[in-house]
């Protein structure tokens, strides 16, 4: 382990939690001590929130790290990792708020893959909340991509929780792996089917779910038809969550699109008591349509999640991200990885195909699980 702390500026890029999540993962995986200043400087309330603090504590427990500055509102943190040698079969992270459970998964999952033994991670907070992926997106869009790298995870949704009450609970079970394998995703293919789930919970009426589904369907048909793209079969389900598996009132919609080359895109949105500028069904449809219309193999939310997998994988990875530049979240993740691992030869590069779509490339460092070697 390097004894010198790598210093990181938390205001880098989008100035949110991405710097914290990526740097903590890489710190634990490569045993690099880090010091982060200006944590979440770009947010209305800078510093660690409950969700971020629980992420720090979770990774700390996983690798027996020495940490300073781990408290609510802290804008400076030092993290000196030990080994990812699990001494427990269960880890618990409870935000006691509606903090996004999927962001806890993002920070714990890479570390769990390269730990010494399988464990279950009990994560409590919000499953369907603003400013983070919904749990259905993680299971239906992220997981298939994750499996392309040669890994897998099991997610059991015990209880769903909505903003502002939270109260959701998810159990994630991960078996460690020897290594990840680089992937090549450069052919987006054509849409072959679109599925979705539109739900309401608590006292929210079922007609809200039906309205979101109708808005999503009509928007997808209209936008694809305008561009002479064949509209695939669309199957959207509406339902009322059972009260024993959902805490609080809420509504939302999740859409997925599969293509002829097995790319999977997602789109999601949450209902709101206040009149939103864009209806949630239309917002989810627009997110789903975006990668199709810009000739991408991953949607915007997958971009930032794929960066660390490309870094850790053995061999080259090539992913077409479309005619738009990388999202700010993905660019931030890439920059943090290069700052921390540039001295080991990590480099990202970008090229364009004949249609003007950007292809992100990375020759992964090929991390090996020392406990399984």
């Amino acid at each position: 382990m390097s004894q010198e702390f790598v210093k990181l500026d938390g205001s880098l890029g989008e100035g949110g939690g991405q710097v914290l999540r990526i740097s903590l993962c890489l710190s634990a995986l490569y045993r690099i001590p880090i010091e982060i200043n200006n944590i979440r400087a770009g947010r209305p309330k800078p510093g660690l929130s409950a969700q971020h603090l629980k992420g720090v504590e979770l990774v700390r427990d996983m690798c027996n790290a020495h940490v300073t500055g781990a408290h609510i509102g802290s804008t400076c943190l030092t993290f000196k990792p030990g080994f990812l040698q699990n001494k427990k079969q269960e880890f618990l992270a409870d935000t006691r708020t509606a903090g996004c459970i999927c962001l806890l998964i993002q920070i714990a999952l890479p570390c769990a893959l390269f730990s010494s033994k399988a464990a279950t991670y009990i994560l409590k907070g919000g499953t369907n909340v603003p400013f983070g992926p919904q749990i259905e997106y993680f299971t239906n869009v992220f997981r298939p991509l994750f499996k392309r790298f040669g890994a897998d995870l099991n997610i059991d949704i015990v209880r769903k929780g909505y903003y502002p009450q939270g109260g959701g609970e998810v159990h994630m079970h991960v078996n460690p792996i020897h290594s990840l394998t680089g992937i090549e995703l450069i052919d987006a293919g054509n849409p072959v089917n679109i599925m979705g789930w539109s739900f309401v919970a608590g006292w929210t009426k079922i007609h809200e779910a039906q309205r979101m589904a109708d808005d999503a369907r009509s928007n997808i048909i209209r936008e694809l038809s305008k561009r002479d793209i064949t509209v695939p079969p669309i199957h959207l389900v509406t339902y009322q969550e059972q009260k024993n598996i959902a805490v609080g009132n809420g509504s939302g919609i999740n859409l997925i699109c599969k293509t002829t080359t097995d790319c999977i895109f997602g789109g999601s949105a949450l209902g709101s008591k206040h009149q939103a500028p864009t209806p949630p069904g239309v917002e989810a449809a627009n997110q789903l349509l975006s990668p199709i219309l810009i000739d991408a193999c991953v949607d915007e939310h997958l971009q930032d999640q794929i960066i660390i997998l490309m870094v850790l994988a053995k061999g080259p990875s090539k992913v077409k991200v479309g005619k738009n530049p990388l999202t700010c979240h993905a660019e931030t993740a890439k920059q943090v990885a290069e700052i921390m691992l540039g001295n080991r030869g990590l480099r990202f590069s970008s090229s364009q195909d004949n249609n003007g779509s950007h292809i992100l490339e990375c020759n992964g460092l090929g991390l090996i699980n020392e406990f399984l070697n």
Side-chain angles (χ1 to χ4, degrees):
M1 180 179 71
S2 169
Q3 295 302 310
E4 187 174 340
F5 280 77
V6 172
K7 295 188 177 182
L8 295 150
D9 186 347
S11 67
L12 180 71
E14 44 87 33
Q18 183 74 305
V19 174
L20 182 73
R21 288 189 292 274
I22 296 293
S23 60
L24 284 175
C25 283
L26 294 179
S27 172
L29 290 165
Y30 287 93
R31 301 190 68 225
I32 302 171
I34 58 172
E35 177 184 321
I36 313 174
N37 294 292
N38 302 318
I39 294 172
R40 301 181 68 246
R43 295 296 182 258
K45 291 184 179 180
L48 296 176
S49 70
Q51 166 204 295
H52 302 97
L53 176 60
K54 289 304 172 182
V56 172
E57 293 174 348
L58 181 57
V59 179
R60 176 201 65 193
D61 294 345
M62 293 172 69
C63 69
N64 192 32
H66 180 267
V67 183
T68 64
H71 56 84
I72 297 292
S74 173
T75 58
C76 180
L77 181 84
T78 66
F79 190 90
K80 188 173 183 179
F83 289 96
L84 282 165
Q85 194 162 5
N86 282 357
K87 296 182 179 179
K88 299 191 294 185
Q89 293 182 323
E90 285 187 355
F91 291 87
L92 171 66
D94 184 356
T95 67
R96 300 184 185 278
T97 68
C100 183
I101 285 176
C102 287
L103 294 181
L104 290 176
I105 294 175
Q106 281 188 25
I107 199 170
L109 181 56
C111 300
L113 285 180
F114 291 91
S115 62
S116 60
K117 61 183 180 181
T120 297
Y121 301 82
I122 301 172
L123 310 173
K124 298 183 180 182
T127 58
N128 301 75
V129 292
F131 309 115
Q134 295 191 46
I135 192 65
E136 292 86 355
Y137 177 91
F138 216 88
T139 55
N140 291 285
V141 181
F142 172 79
R143 186 186 178 199
L145 178 72
F146 187 57
K147 292 170 76 171
R148 284 181 181 248
F149 283 90
D152 200 2
L153 74 161
N154 290 316
I155 291 180
D156 179 22
I157 304 170
V158 177
R159 188 168 51 253
K160 297 178 76 172
Y162 309 102
Y163 181 84
Q165 194 168 345
E169 181 174 337
V170 169
H171 294 181
M172 177 178 74
H173 184 81
V174 181
N175 288 314
I177 60 168
H178 181 266
S179 61
L180 294 169
T181 304
I183 66 170
E184 184 172 291
L185 283 177
I186 56 175
D187 183 0
N190 299 308
V192 68
N193 69 68
I194 292 173
M195 298 180 291
W197 304 268
S198 183
F199 67 89
V200 294
W203 298 109
T204 309
K205 302 299 183 183
I206 189 65
H207 67 76
E208 172 65 16
Q210 294 163 345
R211 180 167 57 243
M212 290 187 292
D214 290 343
D215 287 347
R217 180 183 287 105
S218 59
N219 197 58
I220 290 169
I221 294 172
R222 180 176 61 251
E223 294 302 318
L224 291 181
S225 300
K226 277 181 5 184
R227 293 162 175 82
D228 293 324
I229 299 173
T230 301
V231 179
I234 302 173
H235 180 62
L236 306 182
V237 177
T238 60
Y239 62 96
Q240 174 93 36
E241 292 278 17
Q242 297 178 20
K243 286 184 169 57
N244 63 327
I245 61 168
V247 177
N249 303 310
S251 63
I253 182 169
N254 285 275
L255 307 172
I256 65 171
C257 174
K258 294 184 180 180
T259 76
T260 51
T261 55
D262 290 329
C263 291
I264 301 180
F265 310 128
S268 59
L270 294 170
S272 173
K273 295 178 182 178
H274 309 288
Q275 189 66 36
T278 304
V282 175
E283 180 184 343
N286 288 340
Q287 288 183 19
L288 185 80
L289 291 165
S290 178
I292 298 171
L293 302 182
I294 65 171
D295 189 32
C297 290
V298 292
D299 61 50
E300 289 190 353
H301 297 293
L302 277 181
Q303 278 190 28
D304 65 296
Q305 297 179 53
I306 205 173
I307 296 296
I308 193 167
L309 301 178
M310 296 173 74
V311 169
L312 300 176
K314 182 179 181 180
S317 289
K318 298 172 68 175
V319 179
K320 183 162 68 172
V321 297
K323 295 176 182 177
N324 296 340
L326 281 179
T327 65
C328 191
H329 272 80
E331 185 64 38
T332 301
K334 182 170 73 71
Q335 290 181 32
V336 171
E338 289 179 331
I339 289 169
M340 293 186 64
L341 299 172
N343 61 350
R344 299 173 188 243
L346 177 69
R347 293 291 183 275
F348 284 88
S349 62
S350 181
S351 59
Q352 285 184 282
D353 65 13
N354 294 333
N355 295 320
S357 292
H358 298 274
I359 297 177
L360 181 66
E361 301 181 42
C362 176
N363 194 23
L365 298 182
L367 182 64
I368 302 296
N369 190 333
E370 60 186 323
F371 303 107
L372 305 183
N373 192 16

